[in-house]
Amino acid sequence: MAILIWLRRPSRTANALVLYLFSVAFWSFGYCFELRSATLDQRLFWAKLQYLGPAGVSLAGLIFVLQYAGINVRANRIMMLSIIPAVTQVFVWTNDSHGLIWRTHLLNVSGPLPVLELTHGPWFWVFLIYGYTLCLTGMLLLARIFFQRSGIYRSQAAVLLLGSAVPFAGNLMHSFGLGPLPHLNLTVFCFSVTGISTAWGLFRFQLPVIMPLARKTVLEGMSDGVIAVDMAGNVVEVNPEASSIFGRHASQLIGLPAATAFKLLPELVTLCEPPHPGRIELTIQRRGMERRFDVKSTLLTTRRERVIGALIVLRDITERKVAEAALLQAQLVLEQRIAERTSDLSRTIEELRQVENQLTYSACHDTLTGLANRKLFLDTVSARAGALPSRSDEMFAILYLDIDRFKVYNDGHGHYVGDLILTEISRRLRRFFRLVDTVARMGGDEFTILVTDVKSANEACQLAQGCLEALAQPSHVEGNHIKLTASIGIAVSSGSQQRDADEMIRDADLAMYQAKRLGGNRTMLFGESMRSAALALLQLEQDLHQALARNEMLVVYQPFVRIETGAVLGFEALVRWLHPRRGLLLPKDFLAVAEENGMLVAIDEFVLREACRQKARWKEVAGTDSEPPFVSVNLSGWQLAQPGWLDNLTALEGQTSGLRLEMLESVLIANAHAAVEFFDNVRAHDLHISLDDFGTGYSSLSWLSHFPIRSLKIDRSFVEGIATGERDISIIRAIMALARSLDMEVVAEGIQQERQCEILLELGCEYGQGFYFSHPVDEQAAFEMVRMHQLLARPLLARPAFTTAHSA
C-alpha cells in the first residue's frame, strides 16, 4: 500500500502517509521475524530492529495528521520531536551496557510458542509516553475533523481514525499485559486494520488526492459550482454551490459515476467520462427557473504530469446572457441611431464644407466687388513667377490701378455711391481683361491686374491704355453722372528675370504713384530710376528718424528788417539738416518726408525750443532797458490740429512774449475745424500770429476779422514781379489797403533787389525779409547782430523822394 501511494504521490500529505505506512510495515515484519527466530540472540536482534517502527509511526503519523488538518508546523519543531526517537535508537543498540531499555530478557519455551520475555528499563517508559502522546494528539485532531467536516472528508477522517485507533488500543493492551494473549504483541496484528482502512480510503475516497484544507479554503468559498471526478468518471467531490445547482446533497453525488449522477445532462457526462478538457454551455433547471451555465473542464495532474482526474467548474452566466441580449438589442438601436446620426453628420459635414468653401472664398476675395483680394493676388503672382524660369520665352505684367480723385466722389456723393462706383469699376475690369488674367482689389480704390502671356512691355502699355479708355466711359450711378480717370503703373517680368511677387507689385505701385504725380489719367512703365528714387527716399526716412538723436538738426535765423533803415527787428527761425553724407539740406528736401512719417511734430518742437532758448540769450544782451528782437517760428498743420501743445510753452526756455507764430494760409484752410479752439488758446497766451504766403490761398477774407491775426506776409511770388509788372503792384496795393483797414502789419518776403525795396516803400510796406538784407545765419551770427545793436543801422535808401513818399 505504501509503495502504491508513493508511486501516485499527489501531494505532500501523501508523502507523510507513505512514511507512516512504511513504519507500520517495518514494525510488523520485524515482529514476524522475531517470532520465527529460534535463538534468543536472533530474537533480540529483531526486537531491536523493531524499534525503528514505533519511532517512525508516532512521528510520521502526527506529521500526516497535521498536514491533513491544514496546520503548518515549522521544520525546527519537527526536528525537536525527532530527538527522542533518535536517542531511543542509540539506547536500544547499546542496552547491554546500561539496561535503560531492557533490564532482563529470556526466551520462555514453556508454552505452545516460544516467547521473548523482557523486563523494561526506565527509558522504555519515556519512549512509550512519547509515542502515546503523539498518537493520541493525532487521533484527537482526526476526531475534530470528523465532527467538523461532512461528505467525503468525514469519510476520510473516519478511515484514518480507525486505522490509528485500533493499533493504539492493541499496543496499549500489550504494554500493560492486558488482553487475551498477554505474551503476544497484538499491535502488529491490529495494523492489518490500518492497511485495510487505508486501502479503502485510497480507492473509495481518494484519500491522498483531496484534503479538507482544499474544501475549506477553495471549494466551499467559491461562488461557482465545482465537481471533481477521477479517471474512471466517478464523482469524488462536489462543493456546496454545485449541490445547490443540481438540487442534491453532496453525499448523494459523491462516489457515483458521472453517467448516474448527471444522467439528465448528457453533455456534462461527456466532459466527465472519461475526463477531458473542454467547454460547453448548459441550461439547467434551478429552483424552478432555467439558468444558463458556462461549464469548463480542466484536467488534474500530478507533479509528474500524470492525469488523475478532472475539475469541472459551472459558472452561472444567466445574468450575463440577459445583459448580452440587452446589449445586443441596445447595439441594434445604437447602430440605427448611428446610421441616422451619420446621415445627419454627413449633412452637417456637407454644410460645414460649404461654409469652409465660403470662408476660403471670403478669405481670398473682396467682399464688395467679388474680385481676388491681396492675399490671393500675391499667391497667384508667386505661382506665376515660380513657373517662369523653365519657360523663359514667356512674360507677364502687373498693372497697378488707382482711381483719380476718388475721395472727392466718395465724400461728395457718400460712401454708398462710392461702393457702387467701385462695383462698376470691377465689372468693367472683368469685361476688359481675359478670363486667364487675374483682377484683384488691393483695398480702397486700388486695383491690380495680372496679365499673363504678354509679348512685350509695349503690349502691356497698350493694354493699360485701353483699360483707361474703358474706365473713362461715362456712367450714371444713383442719378449721378460719373466720368472716371485712373493712374496705372506697369511692371513687366520674364523668365530671365527672377523677381518675387512683392517686388513686382512694389514696382508697379511706384510707377502708379509716378503717374499720379504727373497729373493722373495716364499710364507709367516702371523704370530703374523710380526704384533708385524710392530707395533714396526710404534711406532719407531712415536717416531722418535718427537725425534728432544725433543732433544733426540745427536752427538758422533770417532777420526781419525795417525796409527804410535796414534795422533788424526780429528773426525767423528756420530749420536745416546737416546730413552726414549729403551735407546741408533745406526744408524743401526733407519736411515733406517728415510730415508723411510723423517726424514733423518732433522737428517743430525742436525748432520752438531752440528759438526760445536763443530769445532768452538775446534778452540777456539787450538788458532791461530795451526789448530784444522777436523770434518767429513756423507752425505746421499737426500743431494746429493739436492746440493743447500751447499749454506747454511756459515750460520752454523764455516766455511767450516776443514769440511769434507763422502759419501758411493753406494750413489754416486745411485745419479749419481746429482753428476756433486754436485761436482761443492764442488769445489766452497773447501770442502774435502771422499769416504766411498771403494771397496764394483761397480762404475767406472774413477770417481775418474773426481770428486774432496781427500780421500778413506777402508771398514772394508777388514781390518778385513788382519791378516789371503792374499786376503784382496792384495785388500788393490791395493787400496793404486790407491790412490798414484791419490794423495789421505787412511783411514782404523774398526781397532781393533795391528796386523792390523802393516800390514796397512807395506802397506803404514798412517791413521786409530777403536775401537783399541777409541770408539765414547761424545762432552765433544772429547773436552778434543783436549784440552790435544793429537796430539802428544806416538807411539803405537815401533818395529823398522815397523817404517823402513813405512818410506820406
Side-chain angles (χ1 to χ4, degrees):
M1 183 60 64
I3 292 173
L4 180 61
I5 296 174
W6 174 260
L7 293 176
R8 299 183 68 174
R9 283 195 306 176
S11 64
R12 290 176 56 194
T13 308
N15 294 336
L17 182 60
V18 168
L19 183 60
Y20 172 76
L21 293 177
F22 269 120
S23 299
V24 170
F26 204 87
W27 190 351
S28 301
F29 283 108
Y31 186 67
C32 291
F33 282 113
E34 177 190 337
L35 293 178
R36 288 176 57 85
S37 299
T39 64
L40 179 61
D41 292 337
Q42 290 177 345
R43 292 202 174 192
L44 283 175
F45 171 77
W46 289 110
K48 291 178 181 180
L49 201 60
Q50 284 181 58
Y51 265 82
L52 292 175
V57 166
S58 58
L59 184 58
L62 182 61
I63 293 174
F64 167 74
V65 174
L66 290 173
Q67 291 179 351
Y68 182 77
I71 301 174
N72 295 322
V73 181
R74 296 181 180 178
N76 56 355
R77 296 183 180 179
I78 300 298
M79 294 297 296
M80 291 178 62
L81 290 175
S82 64
I83 292 176
I84 292 180
V87 172
T88 301
Q89 290 298 315
V90 174
F91 287 164
V92 166
W93 294 99
T94 60
N95 184 74
D96 294 340
S97 61
H98 50 71
L100 293 175
I101 301 299
W102 305 300
R103 286 185 297 186
T104 60
H105 43 80
L106 57 89
L107 186 61
N108 186 359
V109 294
S110 60
L113 293 175
V115 178
L116 179 63
E117 294 185 354
L118 303 171
T119 304
H120 298 290
W123 187 258
F124 169 80
W125 301 107
V126 173
F127 179 68
L128 186 66
I129 295 172
Y130 163 81
Y132 285 164
T133 302
L134 265 60
C135 290
L136 185 61
T137 302
M139 287 189 293
L140 292 175
L141 289 174
L142 289 173
R144 188 181 70 173
I145 294 173
F146 175 80
F147 289 109
Q148 289 181 348
R149 304 299 176 187
S150 61
I152 190 173
Y153 300 112
R154 172 172 285 189
S155 301
Q156 289 179 357
V159 168
L160 295 173
L161 187 59
L162 178 64
S164 59
V166 173
F168 179 80
N171 186 265
L172 187 64
M173 290 188 293
H174 172 71
S175 298
F176 292 97
L178 302 176
L181 301 172
H183 297 292
L184 293 178
N185 188 354
L186 299 180
T187 304
V188 294
F189 299 103
C190 293
F191 275 136
S192 60
V193 177
T194 300
I196 295 171
S197 63
T198 302
W200 175 252
L202 179 65
F203 292 106
R204 178 65 180 84
F205 304 116
Q206 297 292 309
L207 183 61
V209 178
I210 304 174
M211 295 296 116
L213 179 62
R215 179 182 181 89
K216 177 181 179 182
T217 58
V218 180
L219 298 181
E220 291 186 357
M222 292 182 65
S223 59
D224 299 332
V226 178
I227 303 170
V229 297
D230 58 14
M231 291 299 296
N234 299 316
V235 179
V236 297
E237 180 57 77
V238 177
N239 74 339
E241 181 63 21
S243 298
S244 176
I245 292 173
F246 296 108
R248 299 170 66 184
H249 194 270
S251 61
Q252 296 176 301
L253 296 173
I254 294 175
L256 296 177
T260 303
F262 313 118
K263 60 183 178 181
L264 298 179
L265 301 169
E267 298 93 340
L268 181 59
V269 174
T270 303
L271 290 179
C272 301
E273 185 180 67
H276 61 82
R279 192 165 193 165
I280 61 174
E281 286 189 10
L282 291 177
T283 300
I284 302 176
Q285 289 285 338
R286 185 178 184 182
R287 300 188 184 95
M289 297 178 59
E290 285 191 353
R291 307 291 292 181
R292 194 70 175 171
F293 288 88
D294 175 38
V295 183
K296 181 179 180 181
S297 175
T298 305
L299 295 181
L300 296 175
T301 59
T302 64
R303 293 182 181 178
R304 297 182 179 179
E305 302 299 328
R306 187 168 63 87
V307 179
I308 61 174
L311 192 68
I312 301 170
V313 179
L314 295 90
R315 175 164 296 176
D316 192 339
I317 58 172
T318 306
E319 285 75 15
R320 191 184 78 185
K321 286 295 183 179
V322 173
E324 288 178 354
L327 182 61
L328 179 60
Q329 182 64 29
Q331 184 177 359
L332 295 176
V333 175
L334 180 60
E335 289 177 354
Q336 182 180 0
R337 291 182 178 178
I338 289 175
E340 296 174 356
R341 200 64 188 138
T342 302
S343 178
D344 294 341
L345 187 59
S346 299
R347 289 194 298 271
T348 303
I349 291 175
E350 182 61 28
E351 292 174 359
L352 290 176
R353 185 177 292 110
Q354 294 176 2
V355 172
E356 181 182 4
N357 294 337
Q358 182 63 36
L359 290 176
T360 303
Y361 180 85
S362 300
C364 298
H365 292 79
D366 179 57
T367 55
L368 175 64
T369 62
L371 299 176
N373 61 8
R374 177 185 295 271
K375 178 182 181 302
L376 180 57
F377 188 77
L378 284 172
D379 294 341
T380 306
V381 175
S382 298
R384 184 61 179 168
L388 278 184
S390 60
R391 305 171 64 184
S392 58
D393 58 328
E394 293 187 9
M395 301 175 62
F396 69 92
I398 293 179
L399 278 58
Y400 205 113
L401 183 149
D402 183 86
I403 305 301
D404 296 333
R405 301 179 65 247
F406 177 76
K407 189 175 185 300
V408 175
Y409 293 105
N410 206 33
D411 294 343
H413 299 293
H415 292 283
Y416 175 70
V417 174
D419 290 343
L420 293 179
I421 293 174
L422 293 175
T423 304
E424 176 63 22
I425 291 172
S426 67
R427 281 198 294 267
R428 294 188 182 188
L429 291 177
R430 281 199 188 100
R431 287 197 301 266
F432 181 80
F433 290 100
R434 301 168 298 174
L435 293 176
V436 294
D437 300 330
T438 302
V439 182
R441 182 189 178 199
M442 302 297 280
D445 59 333
E446 295 181 348
F447 297 83
T448 52
I449 303 97
L450 171 63
V451 182
T452 60
D453 300 331
V454 295
K455 295 180 174 58
S456 64
N458 186 44
E459 180 183 349
C461 293
Q462 291 176 359
L463 282 172
Q465 187 62 40
C467 179
L468 287 182
E469 294 173 1
L471 293 177
Q473 296 297 323
S475 61
H476 290 80
V477 179
E478 292 291 311
N480 301 296
H481 181 76
I482 304 296
K483 184 175 182 180
L484 298 173
T485 62
S487 301
I488 300 179
I490 309 164
V492 180
S493 179
S494 64
S496 59
Q497 298 175 331
Q498 296 186 9
R499 303 167 66 188
D500 58 27
D502 290 331
E503 184 180 0
M504 289 281 294
I505 294 174
R506 181 199 63 196
D507 293 346
D509 190 20
L510 288 174
M512 181 272 292
Y513 275 107
Q514 182 65 21
K516 292 188 77 69
R517 280 193 288 269
L518 294 178
N521 194 23
R522 68 184 64 220
T523 63
M524 182 66 63
L525 181 65
F526 173 78
E528 289 299 326
S529 59
M530 297 181 187
R531 181 179 299 170
S532 301
L535 292 176
L537 183 61
L538 179 61
Q539 184 63 46
L540 185 66
E541 289 184 1
Q542 294 175 352
D543 294 342
L544 188 60
H545 278 288
Q546 302 177 6
L548 288 175
R550 295 176 178 177
N551 295 321
E552 296 174 359
M553 291 293 177
L554 55 88
V555 178
V556 296
Y557 302 90
Q558 186 172 21
F560 288 92
V561 300
R562 189 181 297 275
I563 297 177
E564 183 179 5
T565 63
V568 177
L569 303 176
F571 295 89
E572 180 180 5
L574 303 172
V575 68
R576 298 291 187 268
W577 181 8
L578 188 59
H579 196 278
R581 293 186 303 276
R582 299 175 59 180
L584 190 67
L585 299 181
L586 298 178
K588 65 182 180 62
D589 298 323
F590 62 89
L591 282 187
V593 177
E595 185 173 5
E596 289 181 2
N597 63 18
M599 286 292 294
L600 187 58
V601 175
I603 293 175
D604 287 343
E605 291 183 356
F606 166 76
V607 174
L608 183 60
R609 289 180 181 275
E610 289 296 308
C612 290
R613 183 180 60 82
Q614 189 64 24
K615 185 171 65 68
R617 292 187 63 195
W618 295 340
K619 187 174 183 180
E620 294 177 0
V621 173
T624 58
D625 297 334
S626 61
E627 183 68 23
F630 65 83
V631 61
S632 178
V633 179
N634 288 287
L635 186 66
S636 67
W638 291 89
Q639 291 165 308
L640 184 62
Q642 299 176 357
W645 68 274
L646 288 173
D647 299 331
N648 299 325
L649 284 178
T650 55
L652 301 173
E653 298 181 16
Q655 302 297 323
T656 56
S657 61
L659 178 65
R660 295 188 179 188
L661 300 179
E662 292 187 18
M663 68 176 66
L664 295 174
E665 189 177 7
S666 59
V667 171
L668 181 60
I669 296 170
N671 297 275
H673 60 283
V676 176
E677 183 179 357
F678 170 77
F679 282 113
D680 288 341
N681 287 332
V682 165
R683 292 187 183 95
H685 290 85
D686 193 24
L687 292 175
H688 184 110
I689 301 298
S690 178
L691 197 60
D692 197 6
D693 292 348
F694 185 76
T696 59
Y698 45 86
S699 61
S700 173
L701 295 179
S702 63
W703 286 13
L704 299 179
S705 61
H706 292 143
F707 295 142
I709 300 173
R710 298 186 184 181
S711 61
L712 303 176
K713 293 185 71 174
I714 302 174
D715 186 70
R716 66 179 65 249
S717 61
F718 301 125
V719 176
E720 289 174 355
I722 61 175
T724 59
E726 291 295 329
R727 182 181 181 88
D728 292 331
I729 293 177
S730 300
I731 293 175
I732 294 176
R733 183 179 290 112
I735 294 174
M736 293 300 302
L738 177 64
R740 290 191 189 97
S741 65
L742 297 176
D743 193 21
M744 293 182 181
E745 295 179 357
V746 178
V747 179
E749 59 179 353
I751 301 175
Q752 298 184 7
Q753 303 173 5
E754 182 178 355
R755 178 57 181 164
Q756 292 171 342
C757 293
E758 294 174 352
I759 296 174
L760 288 171
L761 284 174
E762 291 175 356
L763 295 174
C765 182
E766 301 182 37
Y767 309 108
Q769 185 183 23
F771 292 166
Y772 179 74
F773 302 106
S774 174
H775 286 268
V777 297
D778 59 20
E779 62 179 35
Q780 185 61 34
F783 180 78
E784 291 296 329
M785 287 184 182
V786 176
R787 190 173 63 84
M788 296 299 295
H789 304 288
Q790 291 183 356
L791 295 175
L792 301 177
R794 65 178 179 82
L796 297 178
L797 301 173
R799 291 188 305 166
F802 180 83
T803 305
T804 305
H806 174 65
S807 299

